[in-house]
Amino acid sequence: MESPFSEIWVESPDGQSLCALINGNRGWLMYLRESGDSGFSSRNPDYVGPSDAAIEYRLNNGQHDFYPASWALPVSTIRQALAYFESEHQRPPFIIWHED
């Protein structure tokens, strides 16, 4: 059985990076301007549900983390954001970002 978890990193030539953590059909994004940056994380303005709901994610190193469900977006949006970043080398403007 294939794992529902994945961790995807895309890096631009100038040192920016976009990370996606995915669990099944949901995921969240983290954008870093440079190595060591506190960065930005995605938010879902359409989220309706408990404010304390969390989704589990598993990193490539085996670590399990839980992040708020209100940060998660559909995988189709995550993949669109990764493709945009890979081609444009900038933070996807169609994602709602929170500076962390």
Side-chain angles (χ1 to χ4, degrees), residues 9-18 85-86 89:
W9 284 89
V10 178
E11 295 184 20
S12 70
D14 64 357
Q16 298 177 77
S17 56
L18 186 66
F85 182 79
E86 194 165 33
H89 305 136

Side-chain angles (χ1 to χ4, degrees), residues 8-56:
I8 302 165
W9 284 89
V10 178
E11 295 184 20
S12 70
D14 64 357
Q16 298 177 77
S17 56
L18 186 66
C19 174
L21 293 181
I22 297 171
N23 179 347
N25 64 357
R26 309 295 289 168
W28 74 276
L29 295 163
M30 177 178 59
Y31 165 75
L32 303 173
R33 294 168 284 204
E34 59 192 22
S35 180
D37 185 21
S38 60
F40 297 79
S41 52
S42 62
R43 296 297 189 269
N44 184 346
D46 299 325
Y47 175 76
V48 286
S51 60
D52 61 348
I55 298 175
E56 178 185 13

